[in-house]
């Protein structure tokens, strides 16, 4: 018996650029310590008061089926948050609570894609994007952003692929590059979406991690609220990756469809998790800034290290917990460099090639280890890159 085509092709096939990650994991399993700059997850755990509230909620009886669209006070809180950040009046009926951002991405695409539809996304991309699009039966088409543009996608490149397409998926602040899309970039994207009648899926799970400038949600742009589905999550903003809680914000009729989808898939999110998420959101922006602070600090440390040499250069990362480093001066691909770095110094970083073709010759560094170890790994990486340029 054969599995369906749709589910069998989620992974696409061929090399996925994750060999370095696999090798690092194997080395650790074999007892070799590895400095891992690969993981997009905080080096702290969910804060104790959030867990205490989760416990309170569970002991208080929030263990049965919870409201499928999400509990009313949490939908209210997200609606208020989105209203405040976009200026677009947003009602609880515009909010669907989901088990994490990944599930929100899948649900949002399910809501707008029919099998065979073309779904656009930007390369470099978060690892699950093409599989998510294939999983809903879409034909994924990548739009290459350019290193020379600091990976801000060009509207003209998107427009060139937009004819007949159904949706466009963007992510700012971006994983893997740390780039925050400028207002100009977003205005250009919005124009293409309006011109070509595209749905815009806007993955904003890193919206509380901004190191320079501001984050603009395309929901705030003219004529976009009716065609934009915003994907959000508590994973990165509140260090709640394991709690699996996120949301989709969009037009009310789409949210109605998402409720039907959830009724036939997840059946909602555990009530005690939703209660804890509400408690976490009520801690306010200072708490969110505290969660983001280590990445801000480490980014400064990394920029100081990089300023002392001229082989490795950083793509300007105004947000998120990542840096994309250009190591092309070594003459190596990102993958070859990452493999050599792992062998020589037991430091694991993700080759740019793991995230599509646009970031070839780059290395993604996750700023997710303790400050002094991070700084020391950055120094070793730069010294190693320099040594490679002297080899004949
Ligand atoms: N979107 C991006 C860009 C991510 O980097 C991640 C996780 O790393 C997700 C979505 C999914 O996050 P979660 O499902 O934990 O909310």
């Amino acid at each position: 018996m054969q599995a369906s085509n749709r589910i069998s092709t989620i992974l696409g096939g061929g090399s996925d650029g994750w060999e370095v990650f696999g090798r690092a994991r194997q080395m650790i399993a074999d007892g070799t310590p590895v400095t891992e700059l690969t993981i997009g997850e905080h080096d702290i755990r969910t804060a104790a008061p959030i867990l205490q509230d989760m416990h309170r909620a569970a002991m208080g009886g929030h263990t049965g089926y919870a409201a499928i669209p999400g509990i009313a006070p949490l939908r209210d809180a997200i609606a208020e948050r989105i209203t405040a950040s976009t200026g677009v009046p947003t009602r609880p009926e515009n909010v669907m609570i989901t088990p994490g951002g990944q599930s929100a991405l899948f649900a949002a695409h399910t809501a707008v894609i029919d099998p065979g539809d073309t779904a656009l996304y930007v390369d470099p991309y978060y690892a699950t994007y093409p599989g998510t699009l294939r999983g809903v039966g879409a034909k994924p088409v990548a739009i290459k952003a350019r290193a020379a543009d600091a990976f801000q996608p060009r509207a003209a490149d998107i427009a060139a692929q937009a004819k007949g397409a159904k949706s466009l998926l963007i992510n700012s602040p971006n994983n893997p590059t740390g780039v925050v899309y400028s207002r100009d970039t977003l205005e250009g994207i919005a124009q293409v979406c309006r011109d070509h009648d595209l749905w815009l899926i806007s993955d904003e799970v890193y919206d509380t991690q901004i190191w320079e400038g501001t984050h603009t949600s395309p929901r705030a742009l003219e004529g976009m609220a009716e065609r934009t589905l915003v994907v959000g999550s508590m994973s990165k903003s509140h260090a709640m990756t394991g709690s699996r809680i996120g949301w989709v914000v969009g037009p009310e009729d789409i949210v109605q469809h998402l409720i039907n989808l959830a009724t036939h898939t997840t059946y909602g999110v555990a009530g005690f998790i939703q209660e804890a998420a509400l408690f976490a959101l009520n801690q306010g922006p200072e708490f969110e800034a505290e969660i983001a602070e280590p990445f801000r600090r480490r980014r400064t440390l990394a920029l100081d290290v990089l300023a002392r040499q001229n082989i490795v250069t950083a793509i300007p990362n105004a947000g998120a917990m990542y840096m994309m480093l250009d190591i092309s001066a070594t003459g190596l691909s990102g993958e070859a460099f990452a493999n050599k770095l792992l062998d020589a110094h037991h430091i694991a970083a993700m080759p740019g090639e793991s995230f599509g073709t646009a970031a070839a010759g780059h290395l993604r560094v996750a700023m997710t280890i303790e400050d002094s170890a991070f700084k020391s790994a950055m120094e070793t990486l730069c010294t190693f890159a320099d040594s490679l340029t002297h080899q004949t």
Side-chain angles (χ1 to χ4, degrees):
M1 294 297 287
Q2 282 229 311
S4 74
N5 219 9
R6 215 177 69 181
I7 204 161
S8 319
T9 54
I10 281 186
L11 284 186
S15 163
D16 60 5
W18 284 69
E19 288 77 7
V20 177
F21 182 76
R23 282 187 57 223
R25 280 294 151 104
Q26 191 55 52
M27 283 167 75
I28 293 167
D30 295 343
T32 307
V34 173
T35 305
E36 281 196 283
L37 306 177
T38 47
I39 315 285
E41 187 169 27
H42 322 69
D43 47 327
I44 54 161
R45 301 285 91 182
T46 306
I50 299 176
L51 298 179
Q52 276 151 5
D53 195 73
M54 201 180 284
H55 183 253
R56 175 205 58 77
M59 295 304 284
H62 294 277
T63 52
Y65 292 125
I68 290 178
I71 58 171
L74 183 60
R75 292 175 90 198
D76 285 344
I78 304 291
E80 266 175 40
R81 189 178 172 91
I82 299 279
T83 303
S85 64
T86 61
V88 178
T90 304
R91 291 158 25 96
E93 289 79 4
N94 296 113
V95 179
M96 173 74 203
I97 304 297
T98 63
Q102 180 55 45
S103 151
L105 284 166
F106 197 90
H109 281 95
T110 305
V112 302
I113 290 289
D114 283 311
D117 280 346
T118 295
L120 308 177
Y121 67 110
V122 180
D123 174 358
Y125 50 80
Y126 172 51
T128 67
Y129 281 5
T132 302
L133 302 179
R134 282 190 292 267
V136 302
K139 181 172 159 257
V141 172
I143 314 287
K144 258 195 187 193
R146 304 157 199 236
D149 298 340
F151 293 118
Q152 302 260 350
R154 290 187 189 179
D157 291 342
I158 301 170
Q161 302 284 347
K163 195 157 179 269
K166 199 62 164 291
S167 63
L168 167 65
L169 168 58
I170 61 168
N171 170 220
S172 173
N174 187 268
N175 177 9
T177 61
V179 168
V180 177
Y181 289 1
S182 69
R183 180 90 189 191
D184 275 0
T185 296
L186 289 165
E187 292 282 6
I189 287 171
Q191 189 63 49
V192 177
C193 290
R194 289 187 300 257
D195 289 350
H196 294 269
D197 202 19
L198 296 181
W199 282 102
L200 182 63
I201 320 292
S202 179
D203 178 345
E204 303 179 23
V205 303
Y206 293 98
D207 63 352
T208 60
Q209 298 179 1
I210 303 289
W211 322 133
E212 273 174 36
T214 49
H215 162 71
T216 302
S217 170
R219 179 173 169 82
L221 304 182
E222 202 189 323
M224 290 306 289
E226 68 213 51
R227 60 172 69 252
T228 302
L229 304 181
V230 173
V231 167
S233 167
M234 305 287 292
S235 285
K236 316 292 175 172
S237 58
H238 292 78
M240 290 180 71
T241 48
S243 292
R244 312 310 304 134
I245 183 146
W247 54 84
V248 178
V249 171
E252 285 184 32
D253 56 335
I254 289 291
V255 169
Q256 273 305 320
H257 290 301
L258 291 176
I259 296 170
N260 294 336
L261 178 67
T263 305
H264 295 84
T265 52
T266 61
Y267 218 78
V269 176
F272 54 92
I273 302 278
Q274 296 198 56
E275 291 283 334
L278 180 62
F279 173 87
L281 285 173
N282 285 339
Q283 302 313 297
E286 297 80 20
F287 180 79
E288 291 162 28
E290 234 173 81
I291 301 285
E293 186 55 29
F295 309 121
R296 178 191 296 280
R297 237 179 18 236
R298 292 167 196 162
R299 171 179 178 266
T300 306
L301 288 177
L303 291 177
D304 286 349
V305 171
L306 290 169
R308 282 187 250 120
Q309 51 82 63
N310 55 14
I311 304 297
V312 180
T313 54
I315 299 294
N317 68 328
M321 50 176 84
Y322 312 100
M323 289 192 109
M324 189 61 96
L325 304 177
D326 183 345
I327 50 86
S328 56
T330 63
L332 295 178
S333 68
E335 200 156 356
F337 184 92
N339 273 304
K340 282 180 186 285
L341 183 67
L342 182 61
D343 289 334
H345 295 288
H346 300 172
I347 295 174
M350 295 299 289
E353 292 85 356
S354 310
F355 309 102
T357 57
H362 289 71
L363 207 62
R364 187 195 76 173
V365 164
M367 303 185 283
T368 49
I369 61 169
E370 178 275 318
D371 293 21
S372 63
F374 179 69
K375 179 166 179 257
S376 152
M378 285 299 296
E379 284 166 350
T380 305
L381 188 156
C382 289
T383 312
F384 182 62
D386 184 57
S387 73
L388 290 173
T389 63
H390 301 305
Q391 284 178 5
T392 48

